[in-house]
Amino acid sequence: MTAPVLLVIAHGSRDPRHAATVHALTARVRALRPGPRVETGFLEFNAPSVHRVLERLAADGAGEVVALPLLLTRAFHAKSDIPSVLREARTRLPRLRVRQGGVLGPSPLLNTALEQRLYEAGLSPADKSSTGLVLASAGSTDPEASAVIAEIARELRHTGWCAVRPAFASAVTAGGFPRTEDAVRALRAEGVRRVAVAPYVIAPGRLPDRIVAGAAGADVLSGVLGPSPALARLLLARYAEACASAAGAHSERLSA
């Protein structure tokens, strides 16, 4: 039986670095597991659109698609935009079975990717006990998404960093977390010897650039998560989870 197509759904951006990073990540996914067909679709700004990809898959005779949101938390796009796009596709393309998989975070693999970027920026595991970390997310007005970022910061604190502070690039967020520059200043005021900023974002763009600007007072700034091996493995893990869930639901229907 042909494996379901893995469709990675990214938001899209006017910044050309965004699409280039997404395509590099999906290329790494293909290299890790050449079995399933892997496609990329964007909600806006970039081509191909999710609609166009699904139409092409239906025309090619694909039977099933697992759509994975390239998102770190369950916020507006995961709860509203993407489900709406997929519902419309199911109506227009009734022969194509489309299942939405889970968002990427939280996951230990994301923490692994984040720390790897910090080590690439010049830190070592031995530096953690003397380094305060700012976990800088794009930000969300969704309380659930903000709570996830706060919990990840707490988890990272237990891995050896002397302090971890969540921060957001967006000025309007749920949870009342500070902006990146304010979190950096707060750690300085507490006497932290070294401050590092870790962007908890997948690809470059407008809000990640705000994180970079806000990190001007830090000692270390890591890169975005990008096409890291850990992130590619996580996409495949979410794909496997969605396939297993679909198989379980099918078995239940047969036994009913």
Side-chain angles (χ1 to χ4, degrees):
M1 190 169 75
T2 304
V5 176
L6 194 173
L7 171 59
V8 177
I9 299 181
H11 181 269
S13 170
R14 292 187 177 90
D15 188 322
R17 297 173 299 167
H18 176 92
T21 301
V22 172
H23 287 305
L25 175 59
T26 52
R28 187 177 287 275
V29 171
R30 291 188 192 98
L32 282 176
R33 186 176 171 185
R37 179 174 175 177
V38 180
E39 297 286 347
T40 307
F42 296 90
L43 291 176
E44 56 183 342
F45 302 122
N46 302 111
S49 69
V50 175
H51 287 300
R52 183 60 57 87
V53 174
L54 291 172
E55 287 172 353
R56 187 173 70 240
L57 290 172
D60 289 347
E64 187 171 1
V65 176
V66 170
L68 291 182
L70 196 60
L71 299 169
L72 299 177
T73 59
R74 268 180 48 79
F76 178 77
H77 296 303
K79 294 177 179 179
S80 180
D81 279 5
I82 293 175
S84 176
V85 168
L86 298 183
R87 278 195 302 271
E88 183 180 344
R90 293 185 191 103
T91 300
R92 290 187 300 108
L93 308 167
R95 294 180 181 273
L96 189 64
R97 298 186 301 279
V98 183
R99 172 178 292 268
Q100 181 176 335
V103 297
L104 298 179
S107 168
L109 283 170
L110 286 173
N111 296 353
T112 297
L114 184 129
E115 292 198 339
Q116 183 59 43
R117 292 296 185 229
L118 286 162
Y119 300 149
E120 291 169 0
L123 293 177
S124 72
D127 294 323
K128 294 172 74 170
S129 62
S130 59
T131 303
L133 181 64
V134 176
L135 181 69
S137 170
S140 174
T141 56
D142 188 298
E144 179 185 349
S146 297
V148 167
I149 298 300
E151 179 58 29
I152 293 168
R154 286 190 288 270
E155 290 176 1
L156 287 169
R157 174 67 180 85
H158 294 308
T159 66
W161 300 96
C162 77
V164 182
R165 298 286 184 273
F168 288 139
S170 175
V172 181
T173 60
F177 296 118
R179 292 179 299 175
T180 305
E181 53 267 39
D182 297 327
V184 171
R185 282 195 291 268
L187 288 171
R188 292 285 190 210
E190 293 170 16
V192 174
R193 176 180 166 188
R194 183 191 295 110
V195 176
V197 173
Y200 193 67
V201 294
I202 293 173
R206 179 175 57 87
L207 289 177
D209 281 349
R210 287 188 190 175
I211 293 174
V212 173
D219 301 291
V220 176
L221 169 65
S222 63
V224 298
L225 298 175
S228 73
L231 194 53
R233 292 199 304 273
L234 179 55
L235 276 166
L236 287 172
R238 294 289 184 254
Y239 170 78
E241 290 167 3
C243 290
S245 175
H250 180 66
S251 297
E252 287 180 6
R253 286 195 298 270
L254 289 178
S255 61

